[in-house]
Amino acid sequence: MNALHFPNNFQIQTTAYCNAKCSFCPYPVTSKEQAMGNMDEEVFRRIVDEISEHPVAMVQPFLMADPLMDKRIVPRLAYLRERLPHVRLNITTNGYLLTPQTTAGLVALDLETIHISSNGIHPATYRRTMGIDGLSVLRNVNQLHDALRQAGARTQVIVTSILLRETREEIFAARDYWKSRGITFYMNPLNDRAGNIAGADFEDMLPFDQDFNRAQLLQYDMSGCPALYFYMGILFNGDVVTCCHDWRRSLVLGNVREKSLFDIWHDAPYRRLRQLSDAGRLCERDLCAKCGTNRFSIDRGALQDYLHRHATENEVPEVNLAKMFQHITETDHESLKLGLVH
């Protein structure tokens, strides 16, 4: 398989920091093991300027972090849009740091999508799964969505949630809530991030009983990987890593402070990886082999069958939105404005 002349899909880690402590993410552990920081402006602009010389499809200025932790994210997105007027620009955030000022800046930027990682609808669930205040996130996301609509912006807000043991009892309530607000909702499958989440922790997060969980775990053939032929991920310090699962930076393919993106893309480390992929031997790398394991399937038919067979009060309680939000409305009357109750 031939690699593109230049990657057409980039992730740029303008900051390595995240304000959440998600149970399903390696960050709370790996952030204590790795050097952390923010990308220098000169390095950021050098990357963007080189990308602007090539036909690139998508740029996402985040990687293994929350982009809103970068205090310069709005002007950096503005620079990306100025230099790359036709490129698809997307960000993913937990939404907690969507201040009015940041929201106003994002509305003006003509992004394609703003994905909100939202794992729960009940504040207590939010605390357990993400370690942040869920009601603040709901308020922020609604205000962002309203501001985009009022401005006539084309940017789409998409809320994504992972099916976990902690969220299974309210995942459909979350879907219905966001749908009622006119916001797209996707449910994502749990995976162990190429082995970067400890096995016991991963098993504890699986949503259903042991037999069903095991039956739904998929194993993918990772003898080759298409991302090696079109994608590049760049860390805050300029290091280029293999993919978004390389949380522990097991293989650095070059550094943009020392070489151009083009030269790194065509240099020996990348070529060796592609040779392994071409030969069907990429799974000899531990990270790549583990990328294909422990991916929980959210096949609709299987899940519906499970819920039908186990829909007892003790196993999968029916979600009652009114009860779920009762304590919210008792303590925060502003929640009425969020549409949590009718």
Side-chain angles (χ1 to χ4, degrees):
M1 184 174 178
N2 294 323
L4 296 179
H5 183 67
F6 189 79
N8 71 357
N9 192 311
F10 283 87
Q11 283 191 285
I12 305 170
Q13 188 187 65
T14 68
T15 181
Y17 297 108
C18 185
N19 58 313
K21 297 179 180 178
C22 298
S23 60
F24 49 86
C25 179
Y27 178 86
V29 175
T30 59
S31 60
K32 299 174 183 177
E33 302 172 348
Q34 310 290 338
M36 305 290 285
N38 298 305
M39 183 173 282
D40 292 342
E41 189 67 16
E42 185 271 333
V43 173
F44 173 76
R45 293 197 171 215
R46 184 193 307 173
I47 292 168
V48 175
D49 290 346
E50 184 175 354
I51 291 174
S52 72
E53 300 171 359
H54 300 270
V56 171
M58 180 185 294
V59 175
Q60 302 177 92
F62 67 92
L63 180 59
M64 309 178 211
D66 192 295
L68 301 191
M69 287 291 284
D70 180 0
K71 295 180 179 179
R72 292 177 289 179
I73 191 60
V74 171
R76 283 178 163 174
L77 281 164
Y79 187 73
L80 275 163
R81 179 50 76 212
E82 175 190 346
R83 297 290 288 144
L84 308 168
H86 304 298
V87 162
R88 296 162 57 195
L89 290 180
N90 304 309
I91 62 170
T92 295
T93 173
N94 58 53
Y96 184 75
L97 296 176
L98 279 169
T99 64
Q101 182 178 4
T102 299
T103 293
L106 293 175
V107 167
L109 285 172
D110 191 33
L111 305 182
E112 180 186 52
T113 59
I114 300 174
H115 285 78
I116 308 295
S117 177
S118 172
N119 294 278
I121 198 77
H122 194 293
T125 306
Y126 242 95
R127 284 289 181 190
R128 291 193 297 270
T129 61
M130 302 186 72
I132 56 179
D133 178 52
L135 189 57
S136 295
V137 173
L138 265 63
R139 180 179 293 109
N140 292 346
V141 176
N142 276 287
Q143 289 173 347
L144 170 66
H145 180 61
D146 290 345
L148 288 166
R149 287 191 301 176
Q150 291 168 9
R154 67 166 190 147
T155 304
Q156 184 180 13
V157 177
I158 298 175
V159 171
T160 63
S161 185
I162 296 176
L163 180 60
L164 305 165
R165 185 175 299 275
E166 289 279 8
T167 63
R168 70 176 192 180
E169 295 173 10
E170 54 190 77
I171 196 88
F172 297 111
R175 177 201 61 188
D176 293 343
Y177 169 72
W178 291 115
K179 184 178 179 180
S180 75
R181 309 303 290 170
I183 295 175
T184 301
F185 177 87
Y186 291 143
M187 184 166 64
N188 286 334
L190 176 67
N191 67 79
D192 68 358
R193 311 295 178 98
N196 282 295
I197 295 176
D201 293 338
F202 175 74
E203 290 183 7
D204 286 344
M205 286 184 280
L206 291 171
F208 302 115
D209 65 64
Q210 189 176 66
D211 290 340
F212 184 81
N213 288 336
R214 287 177 177 173
Q216 292 297 106
L217 286 178
L218 302 181
Q219 312 295 320
Y220 291 105
D221 178 7
M222 292 304 299
S223 57
C225 179
L228 295 173
Y229 303 85
F230 69 86
Y231 163 90
M232 181 179 283
I234 308 167
L235 300 183
F236 78 97
N237 61 358
D239 284 345
V240 174
V241 292
T242 50
C243 73
C244 61
H245 281 321
D246 200 354
W247 288 83
R248 290 181 164 85
R249 307 169 194 176
S250 65
L251 178 61
V252 174
L253 300 163
N255 189 287
V256 300
R257 296 174 183 269
E258 301 166 358
K259 293 183 179 181
S260 69
L261 301 176
F262 181 88
D263 287 343
I264 293 172
W265 185 244
H266 292 277
D267 211 353
Y270 252 124
R271 292 202 310 271
R272 284 194 292 268
L273 270 183
R274 294 189 195 111
Q275 287 169 357
L276 281 175
S277 181
D278 290 341
R281 297 170 47 208
L282 191 63
C283 51
E284 293 177 8
R285 294 194 67 243
D286 186 59
L287 179 74
C288 299
K290 290 178 178 178
C291 184
T293 63
N294 289 336
R295 291 177 175 266
F296 187 78
S297 169
I298 52 173
D299 174 75
R300 180 177 297 178
L303 290 180
Q304 287 180 338
D305 178 65
Y306 180 89
L307 292 171
H308 177 73
R309 288 185 290 109
H310 296 269
T312 66
E313 185 175 351
N314 292 330
E315 185 65 31
V316 185
E318 181 180 354
V319 175
N320 186 314
L321 277 175
K323 289 182 179 179
M324 181 178 294
F325 297 128
Q326 180 179 358
H327 79 285
I328 300 177
T329 56
E330 289 174 350
T331 58
D332 190 336
H333 298 293
E334 290 293 307
S335 62
L336 289 170
K337 298 179 182 179
L338 300 180
L340 296 178
V341 296
H342 303 284

mmCIF file of all heavy atoms in Angstrom, residues 203-229:
data_model
loop_
_atom_site.group_PDB
_atom_site.id
_atom_site.type_symbol
_atom_site.label_atom_id
_atom_site.label_comp_id
_atom_site.label_asym_id
_atom_site.label_seq_id
_atom_site.Cartn_x
_atom_site.Cartn_y
_atom_site.Cartn_z
ATOM 1 N N GLU A 203 -12.215 -4.519 32.717
ATOM 2 C CA GLU A 203 -13.288 -5.490 32.947
ATOM 3 C C GLU A 203 -14.345 -4.936 33.892
ATOM 4 O O GLU A 203 -15.544 -5.196 33.728
ATOM 5 C CB GLU A 203 -12.695 -6.782 33.492
ATOM 6 C CG GLU A 203 -11.874 -7.554 32.455
ATOM 7 C CD GLU A 203 -11.347 -8.861 32.994
ATOM 8 O OE1 GLU A 203 -11.724 -9.223 34.129
ATOM 9 O OE2 GLU A 203 -10.568 -9.522 32.285
ATOM 10 N N ASP A 204 -13.919 -4.159 34.888
ATOM 11 C CA ASP A 204 -14.876 -3.572 35.828
ATOM 12 C C ASP A 204 -15.799 -2.551 35.148
ATOM 13 O O ASP A 204 -16.908 -2.306 35.631
ATOM 14 C CB ASP A 204 -14.138 -2.889 36.977
ATOM 15 C CG ASP A 204 -13.532 -3.883 37.955
ATOM 16 O OD1 ASP A 204 -13.928 -5.063 37.921
ATOM 17 O OD2 ASP A 204 -12.654 -3.471 38.739
ATOM 18 N N MET A 205 -15.329 -1.955 34.051
ATOM 19 C CA MET A 205 -16.137 -0.943 33.367
ATOM 20 C C MET A 205 -17.109 -1.532 32.360
ATOM 21 O O MET A 205 -18.040 -0.847 31.921
ATOM 22 C CB MET A 205 -15.218 0.056 32.657
ATOM 23 C CG MET A 205 -14.525 1.025 33.586
ATOM 24 S SD MET A 205 -13.560 2.254 32.688
ATOM 25 C CE MET A 205 -12.073 1.334 32.302
ATOM 26 N N LEU A 206 -16.912 -2.789 31.959
ATOM 27 C CA LEU A 206 -17.803 -3.404 30.977
ATOM 28 C C LEU A 206 -19.231 -3.401 31.503
ATOM 29 O O LEU A 206 -19.460 -3.656 32.688
ATOM 30 C CB LEU A 206 -17.337 -4.819 30.660
ATOM 31 C CG LEU A 206 -16.015 -4.894 29.872
ATOM 32 C CD1 LEU A 206 -15.522 -6.329 29.788
ATOM 33 C CD2 LEU A 206 -16.180 -4.316 28.474
ATOM 34 N N PRO A 207 -20.211 -3.144 30.652
ATOM 35 C CA PRO A 207 -21.531 -2.764 31.154
ATOM 36 C C PRO A 207 -22.441 -3.865 31.668
ATOM 37 O O PRO A 207 -23.353 -3.585 32.446
ATOM 38 C CB PRO A 207 -22.184 -2.090 29.936
ATOM 39 C CG PRO A 207 -21.483 -2.686 28.751
ATOM 40 C CD PRO A 207 -20.086 -2.952 29.199
ATOM 41 N N PHE A 208 -22.224 -5.126 31.248
ATOM 42 C CA PHE A 208 -23.219 -6.137 31.568
ATOM 43 C C PHE A 208 -22.587 -7.323 32.297
ATOM 44 O O PHE A 208 -21.537 -7.188 32.901
ATOM 45 C CB PHE A 208 -23.955 -6.551 30.301
ATOM 46 C CG PHE A 208 -24.635 -5.392 29.618
ATOM 47 C CD1 PHE A 208 -24.222 -4.976 28.368
ATOM 48 C CD2 PHE A 208 -25.664 -4.707 30.244
ATOM 49 C CE1 PHE A 208 -24.842 -3.900 27.735
ATOM 50 C CE2 PHE A 208 -26.287 -3.635 29.624
ATOM 51 C CZ PHE A 208 -25.871 -3.228 28.367
ATOM 52 N N ASP A 209 -23.241 -8.477 32.260
ATOM 53 C CA ASP A 209 -22.705 -9.618 32.988
ATOM 54 C C ASP A 209 -21.499 -10.203 32.243
ATOM 55 O O ASP A 209 -21.282 -9.944 31.063
ATOM 56 C CB ASP A 209 -23.781 -10.673 33.215
ATOM 57 C CG ASP A 209 -24.281 -11.303 31.916
ATOM 58 O OD1 ASP A 209 -23.494 -11.957 31.228
ATOM 59 O OD2 ASP A 209 -25.473 -11.133 31.598
ATOM 60 N N GLN A 210 -20.740 -11.016 32.950
ATOM 61 C CA GLN A 210 -19.451 -11.473 32.445
ATOM 62 C C GLN A 210 -19.566 -12.230 31.129
ATOM 63 O O GLN A 210 -18.793 -11.973 30.186
ATOM 64 C CB GLN A 210 -18.757 -12.345 33.497
ATOM 65 C CG GLN A 210 -17.319 -12.691 33.154
ATOM 66 C CD GLN A 210 -16.662 -13.474 34.273
ATOM 67 O OE1 GLN A 210 -17.045 -14.607 34.560
ATOM 68 N NE2 GLN A 210 -15.674 -12.872 34.912
ATOM 69 N N ASP A 211 -20.507 -13.140 31.033
ATOM 70 C CA ASP A 211 -20.634 -13.933 29.816
ATOM 71 C C ASP A 211 -20.979 -13.058 28.617
ATOM 72 O O ASP A 211 -20.410 -13.215 27.530
ATOM 73 C CB ASP A 211 -21.702 -15.021 29.998
ATOM 74 C CG ASP A 211 -21.257 -16.112 30.960
ATOM 75 O OD1 ASP A 211 -20.031 -16.235 31.183
ATOM 76 O OD2 ASP A 211 -22.126 -16.825 31.485
ATOM 77 N N PHE A 212 -21.925 -12.147 28.806
ATOM 78 C CA PHE A 212 -22.317 -11.277 27.702
ATOM 79 C C PHE A 212 -21.170 -10.344 27.318
ATOM 80 O O PHE A 212 -20.902 -10.120 26.130
ATOM 81 C CB PHE A 212 -23.547 -10.461 28.069
ATOM 82 C CG PHE A 212 -24.054 -9.601 26.935
ATOM 83 C CD1 PHE A 212 -24.845 -10.154 25.939
ATOM 84 C CD2 PHE A 212 -23.725 -8.256 26.856
ATOM 85 C CE1 PHE A 212 -25.316 -9.374 24.899
ATOM 86 C CE2 PHE A 212 -24.188 -7.473 25.816
ATOM 87 C CZ PHE A 212 -24.980 -8.030 24.834
ATOM 88 N N ASN A 213 -20.488 -9.812 28.319
ATOM 89 C CA ASN A 213 -19.351 -8.930 28.032
ATOM 90 C C ASN A 213 -18.310 -9.635 27.180
ATOM 91 O O ASN A 213 -17.805 -9.082 26.199
ATOM 92 C CB ASN A 213 -18.715 -8.453 29.341
ATOM 93 C CG ASN A 213 -19.580 -7.445 30.079
ATOM 94 O OD1 ASN A 213 -20.410 -6.766 29.473
ATOM 95 N ND2 ASN A 213 -19.392 -7.351 31.379
ATOM 96 N N ARG A 214 -17.976 -10.864 27.560
ATOM 97 C CA ARG A 214 -16.962 -11.604 26.816
ATOM 98 C C ARG A 214 -17.416 -11.884 25.385
ATOM 99 O O ARG A 214 -16.624 -11.823 24.443
ATOM 100 C CB ARG A 214 -16.636 -12.912 27.537
ATOM 101 C CG ARG A 214 -15.822 -12.706 28.814
ATOM 102 C CD ARG A 214 -15.579 -14.012 29.546
ATOM 103 N NE ARG A 214 -14.735 -13.815 30.717
ATOM 104 C CZ ARG A 214 -14.477 -14.763 31.613
ATOM 105 N NH1 ARG A 214 -15.010 -15.971 31.464
ATOM 106 N NH2 ARG A 214 -13.706 -14.504 32.650
ATOM 107 N N ALA A 215 -18.708 -12.176 25.222
ATOM 108 C CA ALA A 215 -19.228 -12.460 23.884
ATOM 109 C C ALA A 215 -19.188 -11.232 22.992
ATOM 110 O O ALA A 215 -19.093 -11.352 21.766
ATOM 111 C CB ALA A 215 -20.655 -12.984 23.992
ATOM 112 N N GLN A 216 -19.229 -10.052 23.611
ATOM 113 C CA GLN A 216 -19.260 -8.819 22.834
ATOM 114 C C GLN A 216 -17.884 -8.203 22.615
ATOM 115 O O GLN A 216 -17.767 -7.166 21.960
ATOM 116 C CB GLN A 216 -20.154 -7.798 23.530
ATOM 117 C CG GLN A 216 -21.628 -8.169 23.544
ATOM 118 C CD GLN A 216 -22.206 -8.244 22.140
ATOM 119 O OE1 GLN A 216 -22.464 -9.320 21.619
ATOM 120 N NE2 GLN A 216 -22.390 -7.110 21.504
ATOM 121 N N LEU A 217 -16.830 -8.799 23.166
ATOM 122 C CA LEU A 217 -15.484 -8.275 22.958
ATOM 123 C C LEU A 217 -14.964 -8.724 21.599
ATOM 124 O O LEU A 217 -14.824 -9.909 21.330
ATOM 125 C CB LEU A 217 -14.543 -8.739 24.072
ATOM 126 C CG LEU A 217 -14.724 -8.062 25.432
ATOM 127 C CD1 LEU A 217 -13.765 -8.659 26.451
ATOM 128 C CD2 LEU A 217 -14.493 -6.555 25.316
ATOM 129 N N LEU A 218 -14.658 -7.756 20.765
ATOM 130 C CA LEU A 218 -14.178 -8.043 19.420
ATOM 131 C C LEU A 218 -12.657 -8.043 19.380
ATOM 132 O O LEU A 218 -11.992 -7.345 20.144
ATOM 133 C CB LEU A 218 -14.718 -7.002 18.442
ATOM 134 C CG LEU A 218 -16.244 -6.867 18.369
ATOM 135 C CD1 LEU A 218 -16.605 -5.812 17.329
ATOM 136 C CD2 LEU A 218 -16.881 -8.205 18.020
ATOM 137 N N GLN A 219 -12.113 -8.828 18.484
ATOM 138 C CA GLN A 219 -10.670 -8.885 18.251
ATOM 139 C C GLN A 219 -10.421 -8.553 16.780
ATOM 140 O O GLN A 219 -10.927 -9.245 15.904
ATOM 141 C CB GLN A 219 -10.118 -10.274 18.584
ATOM 142 C CG GLN A 219 -10.555 -10.838 19.927
ATOM 143 C CD GLN A 219 -10.031 -10.042 21.105
ATOM 144 O OE1 GLN A 219 -8.889 -9.592 21.102
ATOM 145 N NE2 GLN A 219 -10.850 -9.876 22.138
ATOM 146 N N TYR A 220 -9.658 -7.509 16.526
ATOM 147 C CA TYR A 220 -9.381 -7.092 15.160
ATOM 148 C C TYR A 220 -7.984 -7.530 14.724
ATOM 149 O O TYR A 220 -7.043 -7.552 15.526
ATOM 150 C CB TYR A 220 -9.490 -5.575 15.033
ATOM 151 C CG TYR A 220 -10.898 -5.047 15.166
ATOM 152 C CD1 TYR A 220 -11.305 -4.399 16.333
ATOM 153 C CD2 TYR A 220 -11.821 -5.192 14.139
ATOM 154 C CE1 TYR A 220 -12.594 -3.907 16.456
ATOM 155 C CE2 TYR A 220 -13.118 -4.707 14.259
ATOM 156 C CZ TYR A 220 -13.488 -4.064 15.419
ATOM 157 O OH TYR A 220 -14.774 -3.594 15.557
ATOM 158 N N ASP A 221 -7.875 -7.834 13.462
ATOM 159 C CA ASP A 221 -6.585 -8.183 12.875
ATOM 160 C C ASP A 221 -5.775 -6.905 12.670
ATOM 161 O O ASP A 221 -6.129 -6.055 11.854
ATOM 162 C CB ASP A 221 -6.807 -8.886 11.531
ATOM 163 C CG ASP A 221 -5.490 -9.233 10.826
ATOM 164 O OD1 ASP A 221 -4.415 -9.051 11.446
ATOM 165 O OD2 ASP A 221 -5.546 -9.677 9.668
ATOM 166 N N MET A 222 -4.710 -6.756 13.430
ATOM 167 C CA MET A 222 -3.879 -5.562 13.320
ATOM 168 C C MET A 222 -2.536 -5.881 12.665
ATOM 169 O O MET A 222 -1.507 -5.307 13.011
ATOM 170 C CB MET A 222 -3.679 -4.943 14.703
ATOM 171 C CG MET A 222 -4.939 -4.351 15.291
ATOM 172 S SD MET A 222 -5.723 -3.112 14.219
ATOM 173 C CE MET A 222 -4.431 -1.892 14.107
ATOM 174 N N SER A 223 -2.563 -6.789 11.699
ATOM 175 C CA SER A 223 -1.336 -7.079 10.949
ATOM 176 C C SER A 223 -0.932 -5.895 10.083
ATOM 177 O O SER A 223 0.215 -5.781 9.653
ATOM 178 C CB SER A 223 -1.531 -8.326 10.091
ATOM 179 O OG SER A 223 -2.642 -8.168 9.217
ATOM 180 N N GLY A 224 -1.898 -4.993 9.826
ATOM 181 C CA GLY A 224 -1.623 -3.769 9.089
ATOM 182 C C GLY A 224 -2.521 -2.670 9.597
ATOM 183 O O GLY A 224 -3.513 -2.924 10.293
ATOM 184 N N CYS A 225 -2.180 -1.419 9.281
ATOM 185 C CA CYS A 225 -2.977 -0.289 9.772
ATOM 186 C C CYS A 225 -3.033 0.797 8.713
ATOM 187 O O CYS A 225 -1.987 1.318 8.297
ATOM 188 C CB CYS A 225 -2.378 0.264 11.059
ATOM 189 S SG CYS A 225 -3.302 1.686 11.714
ATOM 190 N N PRO A 226 -4.227 1.189 8.278
ATOM 191 C CA PRO A 226 -4.341 2.220 7.242
ATOM 192 C C PRO A 226 -3.888 3.599 7.694
ATOM 193 O O PRO A 226 -3.497 4.427 6.865
ATOM 194 C CB PRO A 226 -5.839 2.212 6.900
ATOM 195 C CG PRO A 226 -6.508 1.623 8.096
ATOM 196 C CD PRO A 226 -5.537 0.627 8.659
ATOM 197 N N ALA A 227 -3.930 3.871 9.020
ATOM 198 C CA ALA A 227 -3.571 5.205 9.498
ATOM 199 C C ALA A 227 -2.127 5.567 9.162
ATOM 200 O O ALA A 227 -1.793 6.748 9.004
ATOM 201 C CB ALA A 227 -3.797 5.301 10.997
ATOM 202 N N LEU A 228 -1.266 4.579 9.034
ATOM 203 C CA LEU A 228 0.141 4.840 8.737
ATOM 204 C C LEU A 228 0.349 5.462 7.367
ATOM 205 O O LEU A 228 1.429 5.980 7.073
ATOM 206 C CB LEU A 228 0.947 3.539 8.810
ATOM 207 C CG LEU A 228 1.033 2.872 10.180
ATOM 208 C CD1 LEU A 228 1.710 1.521 10.058
ATOM 209 C CD2 LEU A 228 1.792 3.771 11.150
ATOM 210 N N TYR A 229 -0.684 5.456 6.546
ATOM 211 C CA TYR A 229 -0.551 5.906 5.171
ATOM 212 C C TYR A 229 -1.210 7.268 4.921
ATOM 213 O O TYR A 229 -1.079 7.813 3.831
ATOM 214 C CB TYR A 229 -1.154 4.862 4.223
ATOM 215 C CG TYR A 229 -0.514 3.501 4.386
ATOM 216 C CD1 TYR A 229 -0.965 2.613 5.362
ATOM 217 C CD2 TYR A 229 0.557 3.110 3.590
ATOM 218 C CE1 TYR A 229 -0.378 1.368 5.529
ATOM 219 C CE2 TYR A 229 1.149 1.864 3.744
ATOM 220 C CZ TYR A 229 0.673 0.998 4.723
ATOM 221 O OH TYR A 229 1.268 -0.243 4.884
#
